[in-house]
Amino acid sequence: MRLFVLAVMCAIARPVSGQLTMVVDTVSAVRPWPPNETWTFPRIGLPQRPAVAARIDRDLCIEFLEVDPDTAGGNLFDLVWGDAEDRTMPRLRDLEWSVRQPFPEVLEVELSGEGCGAYCEGFTKRYQFDLRTGRRLDFDSLFTPEGITAINDTLLKAWNALLNDHIASMLDSLTDSEIDPEYMDQYRAEVEMYARCQAERTDDPYVADLKLDAQGSRFFIARCAAHVDQNLDELDPVSFVLAYAWCGRWMRPELRPLFQLPRNG
């Protein structure tokens, strides 16, 4: 028999703004066949803005679990935990999550674990939301088209500088006669991987994720390595913080007040 419950994680997390409060519940389900792990997922409640909370919850479920909570019938995890005969492995493993408010009207949900297909790989993914509307805040929706170009240019320069320094260090290592020869091939492969990655990213550094903190936005750059050679990517994860004093000017005007920035300026 399927066991599916809704447990209150914290009745009232904190005031969001004025009289508004946020409730964080934990949706919990036990996998109905061995191993009978307990799976959990956040459910956001805003008593004074129920439509906003519903939009956030639905977006999270569709984007991350690939299931519509309006039609799932309470079975949020059916598409991610495999089947009873083990003909398919779970699409996700060791799922963990946390919820925080970097700003009074901004919500961040961070999820981590392993994503499985042909292989299982660790991941951390962040979702940010505007608590006024329930709209997701990602790189494309947070910044204007001109801002995306300006930020990409800045991040690309910082990313190239980081890779150039690392490649130079690796090339110096290749001239060190005391290094064990068995590591030389690995060093050469690493240098080739980063050089190839730079050649492929001449206009766009490939922002894979962002984290909105109090002083600035942290931009995470997609790794250079494919799964088969991810052990070569010593720099992963790569991220850079841009202060709101600079990148805030490139935000869409209606979103700037979320970060205590004037709509214009």
Side-chain angles (χ1 to χ4, degrees):
M1 178 180 298
R2 186 184 307 277
L3 176 61
F4 194 92
V5 298
L6 178 65
V8 176
M9 181 180 178
C10 56
I12 298 179
R14 69 183 73 176
V16 177
S17 63
Q19 301 297 314
L20 186 65
T21 55
M22 182 175 71
V23 177
V24 182
D25 293 338
T26 299
V27 179
S28 179
V30 177
R31 191 175 186 234
W33 51 81
N36 301 103
E37 308 106 328
T38 298
W39 289 58
T40 69
F41 201 70
R43 176 172 291 173
I44 307 302
L46 297 170
Q48 290 121 317
R49 298 177 186 173
V52 171
R55 181 178 182 181
I56 292 172
D57 287 332
R58 188 169 188 270
D59 186 68
L60 272 174
C61 288
I62 291 175
E63 179 67 19
F64 188 78
L65 297 177
E66 299 182 3
V67 62
D68 187 338
D70 295 339
T71 59
N75 303 326
L76 293 184
F77 304 107
D78 279 357
L79 295 181
V80 298
W81 60 20
D83 60 34
E85 290 77 24
D86 287 329
R87 290 171 297 189
T88 59
M89 71 170 61
R91 186 167 60 81
L92 297 173
R93 291 171 46 180
D94 301 326
L95 181 61
E96 297 182 353
W97 55 269
S98 62
V99 175
R100 72 183 187 104
Q101 287 173 250
F103 294 91
E105 297 277 11
V106 176
L107 170 70
E108 179 191 271
V109 179
E110 181 177 291
L111 300 116
S112 62
E114 288 190 342
C116 299
Y119 307 93
C120 291
E121 296 185 26
F123 70 87
T124 297
K125 178 64 179 174
R126 301 162 188 87
Y127 296 92
Q128 281 84 201
F129 295 93
D130 181 343
L131 288 175
R132 303 171 305 179
T133 63
R135 179 185 180 187
R136 195 178 342 147
L137 303 172
D138 54 24
F139 188 41
D140 291 335
S141 66
L142 187 56
F143 299 99
T144 65
E146 297 80 9
I148 289 172
T149 298
I151 292 170
N152 272 334
D153 288 346
T154 298
L155 293 174
L156 186 62
K157 291 176 183 176
W159 178 76
N160 274 315
L162 177 66
L163 261 63
N164 287 337
D165 287 345
H166 189 67
I167 289 172
S169 176
M170 297 300 296
L171 290 174
D172 286 343
S173 297
L174 288 172
T175 65
D176 188 345
S177 60
E178 296 184 2
I179 292 182
D180 194 317
E182 71 176 277
Y183 294 110
M184 289 298 187
D185 288 343
Q186 180 175 333
Y187 290 167
R188 292 189 186 95
E190 186 174 341
V191 168
E192 291 173 1
M193 179 193 67
Y194 286 125
R196 183 171 60 252
C197 192
Q198 284 183 303
E200 293 170 350
R201 303 185 190 183
T202 56
D203 300 315
D204 188 340
Y206 296 178
V207 174
D209 201 0
L210 59 83
K211 185 178 181 69
L212 303 173
D213 285 322
Q215 301 303 318
S217 179
R218 180 174 294 276
F219 298 86
F220 293 84
I221 309 302
R223 75 184 189 202
C224 284
H227 175 84
V228 293
D229 57 1
Q230 65 177 342
N231 63 306
L232 297 177
D233 199 346
E234 294 185 335
L235 297 177
D236 182 55
V238 173
S239 66
F240 302 98
V241 176
L242 298 181
Y244 295 121
W246 184 83
C247 71
R249 77 184 77 173
W250 301 114
M251 287 182 180
R252 298 180 186 271
E254 69 274 16
L255 300 178
R256 290 170 58 86
L258 291 172
F259 306 91
Q260 287 87 53
L261 298 170
R263 287 181 62 92
N264 301 305

